[in-house]
Amino acid sequence: MAALRYAGLDDTDSEDELPPGWEQRTTKDGWVYYANHTEEKTQWEHPKTGKRKRIAGDLPYGWEQETDENGQVFFVDHINKRTTYLDPRLAFTVDDNPTKPTTRQRYDGSTTAMEILQGRDLSGKVVVVTGANSGIGFETAKSFALHGAHVILACRNMARASEAVSRILGEWHKAKVEAMTLDLALLRSVQHFAQAFKAKNVSLHVLVCNAAVFGLPWTLTKDGLETTFQVNHLGHFYLVQLLQDVLCRSAPARVVVVSSESHRFTDINDSSGKLDFSRLSPSKSDYWAMLAYNRSKLCNILFSNELHRRLSPRGVTSNAVHPGNMMYSALHRGWWVYTLLFTLARPFTKSMDLECRFDAYGDLHCPVLEAALFPKDFTCQFRQFLSL
């Protein structure tokens, strides 16, 4: 303190108040640094406290972050039509903990998708999300897009997909987001999607296999397979195979397969322990909607696990995730009984943007985004139950 007093740095009303000649600035990814105009230098530590700080929270409504020709970040207030180099969130900075917090400390059951991506710049990343016009898929696609990624909504219903694109653009007009047709119930459509995507000559850094159906009556697709099995598993399996070369060229890349805890309540082996193919695409007499869904989710996990084993040496990781118990979504639309069940359970479930939860083992799990973004080799919780 004697040295600070001698330098005149303690002559302020607040510990965090900057001495004369100093200015507080922020980087594009939310870290605070300090500019000393007298000595023409910058530093990360506060000149008085020695602490490092970072921005907390998103920009206020109507504000947008830009970069000038010199690479310096500035902020645009679209409501009041003004610009400033002062980050409006500087009043809400938090100290950077020198000890890196664990996932349990950083997130909890009320963490939103946007909060998980806070401070991340995904510019230059290309993301494909299937079934992205609603539910978890939409929130995932929106979160990626609002953080700079080029996001492709792969959907069967182009009218609803275009509406979803408009909603995202309504939140940020510079979002790089588009819709492409993908009908997982038609393998030819999967092939056409892969061809159209490759024609764009872009990378693919994250592929989120999210689309699914639930509680459908027994029907066969035009390919002659039971619909739940083809949409939930086989369509995605085929899609990944067709885009595998693009994923490997884009490494490091991720495949995220949205599965379910319901995979526990089924089996796909016969009495001798061998795979029973008739259970994957059953006849009408052997069909039960809930069991078909459970089997498709088990296939998701087995596929993700094997895909990770094969492609991780080439820089492509695959993660299977469980989005949360009884999460309210549009999955129930197949039968009025499921609609009633989901409606009664809705007060006890999460909204679509709450994509984090504590799993049954007390470990924090932030499924789709965590699996897509963790820089380390992410081992999904399901793998501990499998001996492959």
Side-chain angles (χ1 to χ4, degrees), residues 56-103:
D58 297 325
L59 286 168
Y61 178 76
W63 285 79
E64 185 177 2
Q65 181 176 284
E66 301 280 1
T67 306
D68 64 19
E69 62 275 8
N70 297 319
Q72 188 170 348
V73 175
F74 68 95
F75 302 87
V76 181
D77 181 356
H78 292 289
I79 296 177
N80 297 308
K81 295 181 170 34
R82 62 190 179 94
T83 61
T84 176
Y85 284 91
L86 185 67
D87 192 321
R89 299 167 295 176
L90 281 173
F92 306 101
T93 58
V94 296
D95 292 341
D96 176 35
N97 190 341
T99 302
K100 187 175 180 180
T102 63
T103 304

Coordinates of all heavy atoms in Angstrom, one line a residue, residues 56-103:
A56 N -19.8 -10.0 -17.5 CA -20.8 -11.0 -17.0 C -22.1 -10.6 -17.8 O -22.5 -9.5 -17.8 CB -21.0 -10.9 -15.5
G57 N -22.7 -11.6 -18.4 CA -24.0 -11.4 -19.0 C -23.9 -11.0 -20.5 O -22.9 -10.6 -21.0
D58 N -25.1 -11.0 -21.1 CA -25.1 -10.6 -22.5 C -25.3 -9.1 -22.6 O -25.6 -8.4 -21.7 CB -26.3 -11.3 -23.2 CG -26.2 -12.8 -23.2 OD1 -25.1 -13.2 -23.4 OD2 -27.2 -13.5 -23.1
L59 N -25.1 -8.6 -23.9 CA -25.3 -7.2 -24.1 C -26.8 -6.8 -23.9 O -27.7 -7.6 -24.1 CB -25.0 -6.8 -25.5 CG -23.5 -6.7 -25.9 CD1 -23.2 -6.7 -27.4 CD2 -22.8 -5.5 -25.2
P60 N -27.1 -5.6 -23.4 CA -28.5 -5.2 -23.3 C -29.2 -5.2 -24.6 O -28.7 -5.2 -25.7 CB -28.4 -3.7 -22.8 CG -27.0 -3.6 -22.2 CD -26.1 -4.5 -23.0
Y61 N -30.5 -5.3 -24.5 CA -31.4 -5.4 -25.6 C -31.1 -4.2 -26.6 O -31.1 -3.1 -26.1 CB -32.9 -5.5 -25.3 CG -33.8 -5.5 -26.4 CD1 -34.0 -6.7 -27.2 CD2 -34.5 -4.4 -26.8 CE1 -34.8 -6.7 -28.2 CE2 -35.3 -4.4 -27.9 CZ -35.5 -5.6 -28.6 OH -36.3 -5.6 -29.7
G62 N -31.0 -4.5 -27.8 CA -30.8 -3.4 -28.8 C -29.3 -3.1 -29.1 O -29.0 -2.3 -30.0
W63 N -28.4 -3.7 -28.3 CA -27.0 -3.4 -28.5 C -26.3 -4.5 -29.3 O -26.8 -5.6 -29.3 CB -26.3 -3.3 -27.1 CG -26.5 -2.1 -26.4 CD1 -27.6 -1.8 -25.6 CD2 -25.6 -1.0 -26.2 NE1 -27.5 -0.5 -25.1 CE2 -26.3 0.0 -25.4 CE3 -24.3 -0.7 -26.7 CZ2 -25.7 1.2 -25.1 CZ3 -23.8 0.5 -26.4 CH2 -24.4 1.5 -25.6
E64 N -25.3 -4.1 -30.1 CA -24.6 -5.1 -30.9 C -23.1 -4.8 -30.9 O -22.7 -3.6 -30.8 CB -25.0 -5.0 -32.3 CG -24.4 -6.0 -33.3 CD -25.0 -5.9 -34.7 OE1 -25.9 -5.0 -34.9 OE2 -24.6 -6.7 -35.5
Q65 N -22.3 -5.8 -30.9 CA -20.8 -5.6 -30.8 C -20.2 -5.7 -32.2 O -20.6 -6.6 -33.0 CB -20.2 -6.8 -30.0 CG -18.7 -6.7 -29.8 CD -18.2 -7.8 -28.9 OE1 -18.3 -7.7 -27.7 NE2 -17.6 -8.8 -29.4
E66 N -19.4 -4.7 -32.6 CA -18.7 -4.7 -33.9 C -17.2 -4.5 -33.7 O -16.7 -4.3 -32.6 CB -19.3 -3.5 -34.7 CG -20.8 -3.5 -34.9 CD -21.2 -4.5 -36.1 OE1 -20.2 -5.1 -36.6 OE2 -22.3 -4.6 -36.4
T67 N -16.5 -4.6 -34.8 CA -15.0 -4.4 -34.8 C -14.7 -3.5 -35.9 O -15.1 -3.6 -37.0 CB -14.3 -5.8 -35.0 OG1 -14.7 -6.7 -34.1 CG2 -12.8 -5.6 -34.9
D68 N -13.8 -2.4 -35.5 CA -13.5 -1.4 -36.6 C -12.3 -1.9 -37.4 O -11.8 -3.1 -37.2 CB -13.1 -0.1 -35.9 CG -11.9 -0.2 -35.0 OD1 -11.1 -1.1 -35.1 OD2 -11.8 0.8 -34.1
E69 N -11.9 -1.1 -38.3 CA -10.8 -1.5 -39.3 C -9.5 -1.8 -38.6 O -8.6 -2.4 -39.2 CB -10.6 -0.4 -40.4 CG -10.2 0.9 -39.9 CD -11.4 1.8 -39.4 OE1 -12.5 1.3 -39.4 OE2 -11.2 3.0 -39.1
N70 N -9.3 -1.2 -37.4 CA -8.1 -1.5 -36.6 C -8.2 -2.7 -35.7 O -7.2 -3.0 -34.9 CB -7.7 -0.2 -35.8 CG -7.4 1.0 -36.7 OD1 -6.8 0.9 -37.7 ND2 -7.9 2.1 -36.3
G71 N -9.3 -3.4 -35.8 CA -9.5 -4.6 -34.9 C -10.0 -4.3 -33.5 O -10.0 -5.2 -32.7
Q72 N -10.3 -3.0 -33.3 CA -10.8 -2.6 -31.9 C -12.3 -2.8 -31.8 O -13.1 -2.5 -32.7 CB -10.4 -1.2 -31.6 CG -10.7 -0.8 -30.1 CD -10.1 0.5 -29.8 OE1 -9.3 1.1 -30.5 NE2 -10.5 1.1 -28.6
V73 N -12.7 -3.3 -30.7 CA -14.2 -3.6 -30.5 C -14.9 -2.3 -30.2 O -14.4 -1.5 -29.4 CB -14.4 -4.6 -29.4 CG1 -15.8 -4.8 -29.1 CG2 -13.7 -6.0 -29.8
F74 N -16.1 -2.1 -30.8 CA -16.9 -1.0 -30.4 C -18.4 -1.5 -30.3 O -18.7 -2.6 -30.8 CB -16.8 0.2 -31.3 CG -17.3 0.0 -32.7 CD1 -18.6 0.4 -33.1 CD2 -16.5 -0.6 -33.7 CE1 -19.1 0.2 -34.3 CE2 -17.0 -0.8 -35.0 CZ -18.2 -0.4 -35.3
F75 N -19.3 -0.7 -29.8 CA -20.6 -1.1 -29.5 C -21.6 -0.2 -30.1 O -21.5 1.0 -30.1 CB -20.8 -1.3 -28.0 CG -19.9 -2.2 -27.3 CD1 -18.6 -1.8 -26.9 CD2 -20.2 -3.6 -27.2 CE1 -17.7 -2.6 -26.3 CE2 -19.3 -4.4 -26.7 CZ -18.1 -4.0 -26.2
V76 N -22.7 -0.8 -30.7 CA -23.7 0.0 -31.4 C -25.0 -0.1 -30.6 O -25.5 -1.2 -30.3 CB -23.9 -0.5 -32.8 CG1 -25.0 0.4 -33.5 CG2 -22.6 -0.4 -33.6
D77 N -25.6 1.0 -30.2 CA -26.9 1.0 -29.6 C -27.9 1.4 -30.6 O -28.1 2.5 -31.0 CB -26.9 2.1 -28.5 CG -28.2 2.2 -27.7 OD1 -29.1 1.5 -28.1 OD2 -28.3 3.0 -26.8
H78 N -28.6 0.4 -31.2 CA -29.5 0.6 -32.3 C -30.8 1.3 -31.8 O -31.4 2.0 -32.6 CB -30.0 -0.8 -32.9 CG -28.8 -1.5 -33.6 ND1 -28.3 -1.1 -34.8 CD2 -28.1 -2.6 -33.2 CE1 -27.4 -1.9 -35.2 NE2 -27.2 -2.8 -34.2
I79 N -31.1 1.2 -30.6 CA -32.3 1.9 -30.1 C -32.1 3.4 -30.1 O -32.9 4.2 -30.6 CB -32.7 1.4 -28.7 CG1 -33.1 -0.1 -28.8 CG2 -33.9 2.2 -28.1 CD1 -33.4 -0.7 -27.5
N80 N -31.0 3.9 -29.5 CA -30.7 5.3 -29.4 C -29.8 5.8 -30.5 O -29.4 7.0 -30.5 CB -30.0 5.6 -28.0 CG -30.9 5.3 -26.9 OD1 -32.1 5.7 -26.8 ND2 -30.4 4.5 -25.9
K81 N -29.5 4.9 -31.5 CA -28.7 5.2 -32.6 C -27.4 5.9 -32.3 O -27.1 7.1 -32.7 CB -29.5 6.1 -33.6 CG -30.7 5.3 -34.2 CD -31.5 6.2 -35.1 CE -32.6 5.4 -35.9 NZ -33.2 4.3 -35.2
R82 N -26.5 5.2 -31.5 CA -25.2 5.8 -31.2 C -24.2 4.7 -31.0 O -24.6 3.5 -30.9 CB -25.3 6.6 -29.8 CG -25.7 5.7 -28.6 CD -26.0 6.6 -27.4 NE -26.4 5.8 -26.3 CZ -25.5 5.4 -25.3 NH1 -24.3 5.7 -25.4 NH2 -26.0 4.7 -24.3
T83 N -22.9 5.0 -31.1 CA -21.9 4.1 -31.0 C -20.9 4.5 -29.9 O -20.8 5.7 -29.6 CB -21.1 3.9 -32.3 OG1 -20.5 5.2 -32.6 CG2 -22.0 3.4 -33.4
T84 N -20.2 3.5 -29.3 CA -19.3 3.8 -28.2 C -18.3 2.7 -28.2 O -18.5 1.6 -28.5 CB -20.0 4.0 -26.9 OG1 -19.0 4.2 -25.9 CG2 -20.8 2.7 -26.5
Y85 N -17.1 3.0 -27.7 CA -16.0 2.0 -27.5 C -16.1 1.5 -26.1 O -15.3 0.6 -25.7 CB -14.6 2.6 -27.8 CG -14.3 2.7 -29.2 CD1 -14.6 3.9 -29.9 CD2 -13.8 1.7 -29.9 CE1 -14.3 4.0 -31.3 CE2 -13.5 1.8 -31.3 CZ -13.8 2.9 -31.9 OH -13.5 3.0 -33.3
L86 N -17.0 2.0 -25.3 CA -17.2 1.6 -23.9 C -18.3 0.5 -23.8 O -19.4 0.7 -24.2 CB -17.6 2.7 -23.0 CG -17.7 2.5 -21.5 CD1 -16.3 2.2 -20.9 CD2 -18.3 3.7 -20.8
D87 N -17.9 -0.7 -23.4 CA -18.8 -1.8 -23.2 C -19.9 -1.5 -22.2 O -19.5 -1.2 -21.0 CB -18.0 -3.1 -22.8 CG -18.9 -4.4 -23.0 OD1 -20.1 -4.3 -22.6 OD2 -18.3 -5.4 -23.4
P88 N -21.1 -1.5 -22.5 CA -22.2 -1.2 -21.6 C -22.3 -2.1 -20.4 O -22.9 -1.9 -19.4 CB -23.5 -1.2 -22.4 CG -23.1 -2.1 -23.6 CD -21.7 -1.9 -23.8
R89 N -21.6 -3.3 -20.5 CA -21.6 -4.3 -19.4 C -20.5 -4.1 -18.4 O -20.4 -4.9 -17.5 CB -21.6 -5.7 -20.0 CG -22.7 -6.1 -20.9 CD -22.4 -7.3 -21.7 NE -21.3 -7.1 -22.6 CZ -20.7 -8.1 -23.4 NH1 -21.2 -9.3 -23.3 NH2 -19.7 -7.9 -24.2
L90 N -19.7 -3.1 -18.6 CA -18.5 -2.9 -17.7 C -18.9 -2.7 -16.3 O -18.1 -2.9 -15.4 CB -17.6 -1.8 -18.2 CG -16.7 -2.1 -19.4 CD1 -16.0 -0.8 -19.9 CD2 -15.7 -3.1 -19.0
A91 N -20.1 -2.2 -16.1 CA -20.6 -2.0 -14.7 C -20.9 -3.4 -14.0 O -21.1 -3.4 -12.8 CB -21.9 -1.2 -14.7
F92 N -20.9 -4.4 -14.8 CA -21.3 -5.7 -14.2 C -20.2 -6.8 -14.4 O -20.4 -8.0 -14.6 CB -22.6 -6.2 -14.8 CG -23.7 -5.3 -14.8 CD1 -24.0 -4.5 -15.9 CD2 -24.4 -5.1 -13.6 CE1 -25.0 -3.6 -15.8 CE2 -25.4 -4.2 -13.5 CZ -25.7 -3.4 -14.6
T93 N -18.9 -6.3 -14.3 CA -17.8 -7.3 -14.4 C -17.7 -8.2 -13.2 O -18.1 -7.8 -12.1 CB -16.5 -6.5 -14.7 OG1 -16.2 -5.6 -13.6 CG2 -16.5 -5.8 -16.0
V94 N -17.0 -9.3 -13.4 CA -16.8 -10.2 -12.3 C -15.3 -10.6 -12.3 O -14.6 -10.5 -13.3 CB -17.6 -11.5 -12.4 CG1 -19.1 -11.2 -12.3 CG2 -17.3 -12.2 -13.7
D95 N -14.8 -10.9 -11.1 CA -13.4 -11.2 -11.0 C -13.1 -12.6 -11.6 O -14.0 -13.5 -11.5 CB -13.0 -11.3 -9.5 CG -13.0 -10.0 -8.8 OD1 -12.9 -9.0 -9.6 OD2 -13.0 -9.9 -7.6
D96 N -12.0 -12.7 -12.3 CA -11.6 -14.0 -12.9 C -11.0 -14.8 -11.8 O -9.9 -14.4 -11.3 CB -10.6 -13.7 -14.0 CG -10.1 -15.1 -14.6 OD1 -10.9 -16.0 -14.6 OD2 -8.9 -15.1 -15.0
N97 N -11.6 -15.9 -11.5 CA -11.1 -16.8 -10.5 C -9.8 -17.5 -11.0 O -9.8 -18.2 -12.0 CB -12.1 -17.9 -10.1 CG -11.7 -18.7 -8.9 OD1 -10.6 -18.7 -8.5 ND2 -12.7 -19.4 -8.3
P98 N -8.6 -17.3 -10.3 CA -7.4 -17.9 -10.8 C -7.5 -19.4 -10.8 O -6.8 -20.1 -11.6 CB -6.4 -17.4 -9.8 CG -7.1 -17.0 -8.6 CD -8.4 -16.5 -9.1
T99 N -8.3 -20.0 -10.0 CA -8.5 -21.5 -10.0 C -9.7 -21.8 -10.9 O -10.8 -21.3 -10.6 CB -8.8 -22.0 -8.6 OG1 -7.7 -21.6 -7.7 CG2 -9.0 -23.5 -8.6
K100 N -9.4 -22.5 -12.0 CA -10.5 -22.7 -12.9 C -11.6 -23.5 -12.3 O -11.4 -24.5 -11.7 CB -9.9 -23.5 -14.1 CG -10.9 -23.7 -15.2 CD -10.3 -24.4 -16.4 CE -11.3 -24.6 -17.5 NZ -10.7 -25.3 -18.7
P101 N -12.8 -22.9 -12.4 CA -14.0 -23.6 -11.7 C -14.3 -24.9 -12.4 O -14.1 -25.1 -13.6 CB -15.1 -22.6 -11.9 CG -14.7 -21.8 -13.1 CD -13.2 -21.7 -13.1
T102 N -14.9 -25.8 -11.7 CA -15.3 -27.1 -12.3 C -16.7 -26.8 -13.0 O -17.3 -25.8 -12.8 CB -15.5 -28.1 -11.2 OG1 -16.6 -27.7 -10.3 CG2 -14.2 -28.4 -10.4
T103 N -17.1 -27.8 -13.8 CA -18.3 -27.7 -14.5 C -19.5 -27.5 -13.5 O -20.4 -26.8 -13.7 CB -18.6 -28.9 -15.4 OG1 -17.5 -29.1 -16.3 CG2 -19.8 -28.8 -16.2

